[in-house]
Amino acid sequence: MRKSLFNTLDDFCYRDKTVILRVDINSPLDPVTKTIVNDNRLDKSIPTLKELLEQGAKIVLLAHQGDTLDYHNLIPLTEHAQKLSKKVGQHIDYIDDAAGPAAEAAVQALKPGEAVLLGNVRYLTEEVSTFEDSVSLSVSEMAECYLIRRLAPLADYYVNDAFSAAHRNAPSMVGFTAVLPTAAGRQLVKEVSALEKIMKTPASPAVFVLGGLKIADAFGMIEGVLKNGSADSILTGGVLGIVMLMAGGTEFSREQTRFVYERGLGTFLKPAERYLRDYGDRFVNPKDFAFRDGPMRREVDSKDLLKACGLLMDIGEKTIQVYRRMLNEAGSIFINGPMGVYEDPLFSQGTKEVWKAAADSSGYSVVGGGDSVNAAVSLVDDAENRFSYICTAGGALVRYLSGMELPLIKALKEAYRKV
Ligand code: ADP
Ligand code: MG
């Protein structure tokens, strides 16, 4: 990343200053106990937090958890504060109030080198995407929002380290940049640098491995990276691989075709045909697939798919061989979307082998997306050290690679120009 894109932690001195630090520690929860099942984002937020504590800042942590639409995982951040305390080696209080009088009192009581985590910001309507979708506020209009009005006067600086929420145009993400000197945290700079490497200066050959089920996301990216030349090859798998082959005229069973249409994925066949027409030589689609035969895994050639029974659940051995060879020779690799139903041990092989090939390649490798990261961590030993970068972001990552300017990145750039 160009050094002059945003302010970083290096640009200000935080001793005795009150710093609002927005992190993304929104974590997957156990559906029954509602306890955190994966600390990945909490871990990634530690370096910036530690650095600011060591500098003697008074830190006001802001974060969200869960979704308001169905109250899914929308819980207080008590356990988050406990885990952060343990990881950082000092007590961090949780105040179950985002910006009201209790939050204000807690901020005013902070001493240098202390931190407090305030209430889940999604308690506030102005923070949720339904609000954002129907009321679109500019960054300066956001300065009038409750959260900013209440907290900004108590603080000296705003630091954002929440790249994985960078696509959210919410007050906690961008509003403070209008009224406080603003810097990007360490994690954010790392993520943007890794993605810039993939997007702007990829070592060639640049190989994209795209699969999974969220075809809309994949298609947004495909268009961008084919047009701007970031991808020399796109290796497809998962349901995306099936849709690409379908668009190219491969015959699938009635059950598999129904699967694609019932999920509303039929609408992607037309754009897929266009990609194949305009950039056909850059796609590498599955040569074979695996399916369930009683308790067994069986494989079938892509030319013979009518011989398969049931749904296609994974790429087959021939495809794995081809992808392995291409990844071995790649200069840069971006992975998003599993090759098969990796949650089922019978069909995890394609994802596991392809992920391992990417991890072992000497090329620069980035993996992103919820399931893709989960697959990397659960199927590849020592994934954290074998991939060049494991991205914490999902939605933000996909939009970034589609060439969209994310609200947070735009706000950080504008804040940089102001200082
Ligand atoms: P990510 O979260 O990494 O962005 P997606 O959410 O797009 O990835 O896709 C992951 C899901 O895709 C997994 O739940 C996996 O089981 C599913 N999947 C992959 N291949 C197939 C397939 N052939 N048929 C049905 N589901 C698949
Ligand atoms: Mg997913």
Side-chain angles (χ1 to χ4, degrees):
M1 187 180 36
R2 287 181 306 278
K3 212 183 160 293
S4 56
L5 212 51
F6 342 114
N7 299 308
T8 69
L9 288 192
D10 302 324
D11 291 302
F12 304 113
C13 174
Y14 304 96
R15 177 163 305 281
D16 298 337
K17 301 292 187 200
T18 302
V19 179
I20 294 176
L21 172 57
R22 173 63 157 106
V23 288
D24 186 357
I25 49 176
N26 184 26
S27 302
L29 304 181
D30 180 287
V32 179
T33 61
K34 296 285 174 202
T35 52
I36 295 171
V37 293
N38 176 329
D39 284 10
N40 182 31
R41 284 185 174 162
L42 288 154
D43 289 333
K44 295 273 170 82
S45 69
I46 295 301
T48 295
L49 176 57
K50 244 191 177 152
E51 197 175 327
L52 288 171
L53 284 171
E54 278 161 10
Q55 280 202 33
K58 305 176 202 173
I59 302 171
V60 183
L61 283 158
L62 288 184
H64 74 278
Q65 170 70 49
D67 237 304
T68 42
L69 272 185
D70 46 5
Y71 247 66
H72 182 65
N73 288 352
L74 190 87
I75 58 165
L77 307 175
T78 318
E79 192 192 1
H80 301 67
Q82 285 163 358
K83 282 188 177 265
L84 287 175
S85 302
K86 213 178 248 166
K87 290 174 196 294
V88 88
Q90 73 180 70
H91 180 71
I92 296 173
D93 234 350
Y94 174 63
I95 306 293
D96 199 27
D97 177 20
E104 180 178 350
V107 173
Q108 281 168 336
L110 281 173
K111 297 195 177 58
E114 287 183 354
V116 65
L117 175 60
L118 298 185
N120 186 345
V121 292
R122 291 215 170 144
Y123 291 162
L124 306 175
T125 41
E126 63 195 28
E127 275 290 317
V128 303
S129 42
T130 39
F131 180 86
E132 185 189 322
D133 291 342
S134 50
V135 185
S136 107
L137 296 178
S138 68
V139 169
S140 55
E141 283 166 338
M142 269 187 217
E144 300 302 315
C145 283
Y146 176 73
L147 186 76
I148 315 296
R149 260 193 303 112
R150 294 280 311 168
L151 295 183
L154 306 175
D156 303 291
Y157 292 105
Y158 174 70
V159 175
N160 190 304
D161 207 19
F163 179 75
S164 40
H167 53 307
R168 306 240 175 251
N169 195 36
S172 73
M173 287 300 297
V174 298
F176 291 105
T177 67
V179 288
L180 290 175
T182 294
R186 299 294 183 209
Q187 171 64 12
L188 188 142
V189 172
K190 257 195 191 168
E191 303 236 356
V192 174
S193 309
L195 296 182
E196 289 248 308
K197 240 183 190 166
I198 291 289
M199 268 305 261
K200 306 242 166 88
T201 53
S204 67
V207 178
F208 276 57
V209 180
L210 301 180
L213 203 50
K214 281 181 290 182
I215 305 222
D217 283 358
F219 269 37
M221 260 190 291
I222 288 174
E223 181 103 66
V225 297
L226 286 174
K227 254 195 208 144
N228 73 11
S230 316
D232 294 311
S233 316
I234 297 184
L235 318 184
T236 69
V239 181
L240 176 69
I242 292 171
V243 167
M244 292 310 296
L245 284 175
M246 225 173 244
T250 299
E251 244 188 300
F252 284 83
S253 70
R254 217 183 290 162
E255 189 179 354
Q256 188 67 57
T257 308
R258 202 181 318 127
F259 174 94
V260 166
Y261 278 93
E262 274 175 0
R263 276 165 183 71
L265 305 177
T267 51
F268 294 108
L269 290 167
K270 271 256 141 18
E273 277 172 32
R274 185 161 52 80
Y275 297 155
L276 288 172
R277 196 179 56 233
D278 297 347
Y279 306 100
D281 56 334
R282 290 206 247 163
F283 281 96
V284 184
N285 295 318
K287 316 286 170 218
D288 57 352
F289 288 94
F291 61 96
R292 188 188 299 278
D293 187 5
M296 303 277 291
R297 172 188 168 109
R298 270 185 52 198
E299 298 196 354
V300 58
D301 202 278
S302 295
K303 292 193 201 93
D304 264 334
L305 291 176
L306 296 180
K307 286 190 187 148
C309 47
L311 293 170
L312 304 170
M313 307 281 270
D314 193 12
I315 56 171
E317 187 56 38
K318 279 189 217 155
T319 313
I320 293 173
Q321 297 289 355
V322 174
Y323 289 9
R324 195 184 277 141
R325 197 166 348 105
M326 293 189 74
L327 289 168
N328 191 28
E329 288 160 10
S332 63
I333 299 167
F334 176 73
I335 289 191
N336 181 238
M339 297 290 97
V341 182
Y342 74 98
E343 300 94 330
D344 181 339
L346 213 50
F347 301 109
S348 63
Q349 188 180 322
T351 307
K352 182 174 178 167
E353 294 304 321
V354 169
W355 269 220
K356 266 168 56 184
D360 289 340
S361 169
S362 56
Y364 184 81
S365 56
V366 175
V367 50
D371 284 283
S372 306
V373 168
N374 191 23
V377 175
S378 59
L379 301 174
V380 180
D381 292 335
D382 199 24
E384 281 285 343
N385 293 315
R386 282 166 72 191
F387 285 99
S388 308
Y389 197 70
I390 296 183
C391 193
T392 56
L397 163 82
V398 165
R399 288 171 180 79
Y400 188 86
L401 292 181
S402 304
M404 272 174 65
E405 181 158 58
L406 304 174
L408 172 64
I409 303 298
K410 186 161 176 246
L412 288 174
K413 284 187 193 162
E414 274 162 21
Y416 175 72
R417 279 190 215 109
K418 269 197 301 204
V419 171

